[in-house]
Amino acid sequence: QVQLVESGGGLVQAGGSLRLSCAASGRTFSNYHMGWFRQAPGKEREFVARINYIDSSTDYADSVKGRFAISRDNAKNMLYLQMNSLKPEDTAVYYCAAGRTYLYTPRDSDFGSWGQGTQVTVSS
């Protein structure tokens, strides 16, 4: 298990950019698949992006593809989510997650460790 803390959320204008960070504890960060999820008011938590620890391959939800970019810095135990061309629909609490499973289709249950979340609000 790994401990995660998100930061970087805030209020931005539509069309703007924001970078979220996730700090991980321990020496085993590089051995975990990492992902970002989000939950908007009244909606289910949804997958945003993930990155494989073995080959650094990535996957994105269709709603953010081309606008968001996930990356990791194993030397610093950090995970990032660069968000560009933000839309009001992106407003949500964003969660960093770590897991041991990386199947064809991402699922919440693939990730066993979760951060507390950081609020992102996009105004229009």
Side-chain angles (χ1 to χ4, degrees), residues 22-37:
C22 173
S25 66
R27 299 185 297 174
T28 61
F29 171 74
S30 61
N31 294 325
Y32 283 88
H33 306 297
M34 301 296 297
W36 288 98
F37 291 77

PDB file of all heavy atoms in Angstrom, residues 22-37:
ATOM      1  N   CYS A  22       0.526  14.726  -7.261  1.00  0.00           N
ATOM      2  CA  CYS A  22       0.234  13.689  -6.284  1.00  0.00           C
ATOM      3  C   CYS A  22       1.552  13.204  -5.713  1.00  0.00           C
ATOM      4  O   CYS A  22       2.390  12.672  -6.453  1.00  0.00           O
ATOM      5  CB  CYS A  22      -0.532  12.535  -6.939  1.00  0.00           C
ATOM      6  SG  CYS A  22      -0.782  11.095  -5.880  1.00  0.00           S
ATOM      7  N   ALA A  23       1.739  13.402  -4.417  1.00  0.00           N
ATOM      8  CA  ALA A  23       2.956  12.964  -3.741  1.00  0.00           C
ATOM      9  C   ALA A  23       2.718  11.604  -3.098  1.00  0.00           C
ATOM     10  O   ALA A  23       1.752  11.426  -2.362  1.00  0.00           O
ATOM     11  CB  ALA A  23       3.370  13.986  -2.692  1.00  0.00           C
ATOM     12  N   ALA A  24       3.604  10.671  -3.371  1.00  0.00           N
ATOM     13  CA  ALA A  24       3.487   9.318  -2.851  1.00  0.00           C
ATOM     14  C   ALA A  24       4.578   9.039  -1.831  1.00  0.00           C
ATOM     15  O   ALA A  24       5.703   9.521  -1.964  1.00  0.00           O
ATOM     16  CB  ALA A  24       3.570   8.297  -3.983  1.00  0.00           C
ATOM     17  N   SER A  25       4.241   8.265  -0.827  1.00  0.00           N
ATOM     18  CA  SER A  25       5.201   7.900   0.210  1.00  0.00           C
ATOM     19  C   SER A  25       5.817   6.541  -0.077  1.00  0.00           C
ATOM     20  O   SER A  25       5.302   5.760  -0.885  1.00  0.00           O
ATOM     21  CB  SER A  25       4.522   7.889   1.574  1.00  0.00           C
ATOM     22  OG  SER A  25       3.545   6.858   1.637  1.00  0.00           O
ATOM     23  N   GLY A  26       6.932   6.255   0.592  1.00  0.00           N
ATOM     24  CA  GLY A  26       7.559   4.959   0.477  1.00  0.00           C
ATOM     25  C   GLY A  26       8.533   4.839  -0.675  1.00  0.00           C
ATOM     26  O   GLY A  26       8.621   5.731  -1.530  1.00  0.00           O
ATOM     27  N   ARG A  27       9.235   3.707  -0.694  1.00  0.00           N
ATOM     28  CA  ARG A  27      10.230   3.456  -1.729  1.00  0.00           C
ATOM     29  C   ARG A  27       9.706   2.622  -2.879  1.00  0.00           C
ATOM     30  O   ARG A  27      10.447   2.375  -3.836  1.00  0.00           O
ATOM     31  CB  ARG A  27      11.441   2.748  -1.114  1.00  0.00           C
ATOM     32  CG  ARG A  27      12.151   3.524  -0.031  1.00  0.00           C
ATOM     33  CD  ARG A  27      13.402   2.790   0.415  1.00  0.00           C
ATOM     34  NE  ARG A  27      13.097   1.505   1.017  1.00  0.00           N
ATOM     35  CZ  ARG A  27      14.017   0.607   1.392  1.00  0.00           C
ATOM     36  NH1 ARG A  27      15.300   0.872   1.224  1.00  0.00           N
ATOM     37  NH2 ARG A  27      13.651  -0.546   1.932  1.00  0.00           N
ATOM     38  N   THR A  28       8.440   2.197  -2.816  1.00  0.00           N
ATOM     39  CA  THR A  28       7.876   1.309  -3.821  1.00  0.00           C
ATOM     40  C   THR A  28       6.979   2.005  -4.825  1.00  0.00           C
ATOM     41  O   THR A  28       6.267   1.345  -5.575  1.00  0.00           O
ATOM     42  CB  THR A  28       7.084   0.174  -3.155  1.00  0.00           C
ATOM     43  OG1 THR A  28       6.004   0.724  -2.391  1.00  0.00           O
ATOM     44  CG2 THR A  28       7.982  -0.643  -2.251  1.00  0.00           C
ATOM     45  N   PHE A  29       6.997   3.328  -4.870  1.00  0.00           N
ATOM     46  CA  PHE A  29       6.158   4.086  -5.780  1.00  0.00           C
ATOM     47  C   PHE A  29       6.323   3.626  -7.222  1.00  0.00           C
ATOM     48  O   PHE A  29       5.349   3.502  -7.967  1.00  0.00           O
ATOM     49  CB  PHE A  29       6.461   5.577  -5.661  1.00  0.00           C
ATOM     50  CG  PHE A  29       5.805   6.421  -6.718  1.00  0.00           C
ATOM     51  CD1 PHE A  29       4.444   6.674  -6.673  1.00  0.00           C
ATOM     52  CD2 PHE A  29       6.549   6.966  -7.752  1.00  0.00           C
ATOM     53  CE1 PHE A  29       3.835   7.459  -7.638  1.00  0.00           C
ATOM     54  CE2 PHE A  29       5.951   7.752  -8.719  1.00  0.00           C
ATOM     55  CZ  PHE A  29       4.593   8.001  -8.664  1.00  0.00           C
ATOM     56  N   SER A  30       7.553   3.370  -7.632  1.00  0.00           N
ATOM     57  CA  SER A  30       7.824   3.005  -9.012  1.00  0.00           C
ATOM     58  C   SER A  30       7.220   1.663  -9.397  1.00  0.00           C
ATOM     59  O   SER A  30       7.138   1.349 -10.586  1.00  0.00           O
ATOM     60  CB  SER A  30       9.336   2.979  -9.271  1.00  0.00           C
ATOM     61  OG  SER A  30       9.973   2.021  -8.455  1.00  0.00           O
ATOM     62  N   ASN A  31       6.793   0.862  -8.436  1.00  0.00           N
ATOM     63  CA  ASN A  31       6.215  -0.448  -8.695  1.00  0.00           C
ATOM     64  C   ASN A  31       4.692  -0.450  -8.722  1.00  0.00           C
ATOM     65  O   ASN A  31       4.082  -1.516  -8.759  1.00  0.00           O
ATOM     66  CB  ASN A  31       6.705  -1.456  -7.656  1.00  0.00           C
ATOM     67  CG  ASN A  31       8.193  -1.712  -7.754  1.00  0.00           C
ATOM     68  OD1 ASN A  31       8.763  -1.705  -8.847  1.00  0.00           O
ATOM     69  ND2 ASN A  31       8.827  -1.945  -6.619  1.00  0.00           N
ATOM     70  N   TYR A  32       4.084   0.719  -8.689  1.00  0.00           N
ATOM     71  CA  TYR A  32       2.628   0.842  -8.738  1.00  0.00           C
ATOM     72  C   TYR A  32       2.175   1.491 -10.030  1.00  0.00           C
ATOM     73  O   TYR A  32       2.778   2.458 -10.501  1.00  0.00           O
ATOM     74  CB  TYR A  32       2.115   1.682  -7.566  1.00  0.00           C
ATOM     75  CG  TYR A  32       2.076   0.964  -6.240  1.00  0.00           C
ATOM     76  CD1 TYR A  32       3.180   0.942  -5.407  1.00  0.00           C
ATOM     77  CD2 TYR A  32       0.911   0.324  -5.826  1.00  0.00           C
ATOM     78  CE1 TYR A  32       3.139   0.284  -4.187  1.00  0.00           C
ATOM     79  CE2 TYR A  32       0.855  -0.333  -4.609  1.00  0.00           C
ATOM     80  CZ  TYR A  32       1.974  -0.349  -3.793  1.00  0.00           C
ATOM     81  OH  TYR A  32       1.925  -0.995  -2.578  1.00  0.00           O
ATOM     82  N   HIS A  33       1.094   0.947 -10.581  1.00  0.00           N
ATOM     83  CA  HIS A  33       0.380   1.658 -11.622  1.00  0.00           C
ATOM     84  C   HIS A  33      -0.313   2.850 -10.955  1.00  0.00           C
ATOM     85  O   HIS A  33      -0.787   2.742  -9.825  1.00  0.00           O
ATOM     86  CB  HIS A  33      -0.665   0.767 -12.279  1.00  0.00           C
ATOM     87  CG  HIS A  33      -0.118  -0.525 -12.784  1.00  0.00           C
ATOM     88  ND1 HIS A  33       0.840  -0.585 -13.779  1.00  0.00           N
ATOM     89  CD2 HIS A  33      -0.391  -1.810 -12.436  1.00  0.00           C
ATOM     90  CE1 HIS A  33       1.127  -1.856 -14.025  1.00  0.00           C
ATOM     91  NE2 HIS A  33       0.397  -2.620 -13.228  1.00  0.00           N
ATOM     92  N   MET A  34      -0.386   3.967 -11.652  1.00  0.00           N
ATOM     93  CA  MET A  34      -0.966   5.171 -11.085  1.00  0.00           C
ATOM     94  C   MET A  34      -2.098   5.687 -11.960  1.00  0.00           C
ATOM     95  O   MET A  34      -2.070   5.525 -13.185  1.00  0.00           O
ATOM     96  CB  MET A  34       0.094   6.263 -10.928  1.00  0.00           C
ATOM     97  CG  MET A  34       1.271   5.879 -10.040  1.00  0.00           C
ATOM     98  SD  MET A  34       0.774   5.571  -8.319  1.00  0.00           S
ATOM     99  CE  MET A  34       0.167   7.191  -7.843  1.00  0.00           C
ATOM    100  N   GLY A  35      -3.064   6.316 -11.314  1.00  0.00           N
ATOM    101  CA  GLY A  35      -4.187   6.833 -12.069  1.00  0.00           C
ATOM    102  C   GLY A  35      -4.804   8.069 -11.445  1.00  0.00           C
ATOM    103  O   GLY A  35      -4.559   8.390 -10.280  1.00  0.00           O
ATOM    104  N   TRP A  36      -5.580   8.754 -12.252  1.00  0.00           N
ATOM    105  CA  TRP A  36      -6.372   9.894 -11.802  1.00  0.00           C
ATOM    106  C   TRP A  36      -7.844   9.608 -12.062  1.00  0.00           C
ATOM    107  O   TRP A  36      -8.207   9.139 -13.147  1.00  0.00           O
ATOM    108  CB  TRP A  36      -5.984  11.181 -12.527  1.00  0.00           C
ATOM    109  CG  TRP A  36      -4.664  11.755 -12.126  1.00  0.00           C
ATOM    110  CD1 TRP A  36      -3.480  11.610 -12.762  1.00  0.00           C
ATOM    111  CD2 TRP A  36      -4.412  12.599 -10.998  1.00  0.00           C
ATOM    112  NE1 TRP A  36      -2.494  12.297 -12.107  1.00  0.00           N
ATOM    113  CE2 TRP A  36      -3.036  12.915 -11.017  1.00  0.00           C
ATOM    114  CE3 TRP A  36      -5.199  13.123  -9.979  1.00  0.00           C
ATOM    115  CZ2 TRP A  36      -2.431  13.726 -10.057  1.00  0.00           C
ATOM    116  CZ3 TRP A  36      -4.605  13.924  -9.016  1.00  0.00           C
ATOM    117  CH2 TRP A  36      -3.249  14.217  -9.062  1.00  0.00           C
ATOM    118  N   PHE A  37      -8.671   9.891 -11.077  1.00  0.00           N
ATOM    119  CA  PHE A  37     -10.118   9.781 -11.179  1.00  0.00           C
ATOM    120  C   PHE A  37     -10.733  11.094 -10.734  1.00  0.00           C
ATOM    121  O   PHE A  37     -10.068  11.915 -10.105  1.00  0.00           O
ATOM    122  CB  PHE A  37     -10.646   8.635 -10.311  1.00  0.00           C
ATOM    123  CG  PHE A  37     -10.263   7.268 -10.790  1.00  0.00           C
ATOM    124  CD1 PHE A  37      -8.984   6.777 -10.589  1.00  0.00           C
ATOM    125  CD2 PHE A  37     -11.182   6.463 -11.449  1.00  0.00           C
ATOM    126  CE1 PHE A  37      -8.618   5.514 -11.026  1.00  0.00           C
ATOM    127  CE2 PHE A  37     -10.839   5.197 -11.890  1.00  0.00           C
ATOM    128  CZ  PHE A  37      -9.552   4.724 -11.679  1.00  0.00           C
TER     129      PHE A  37
END
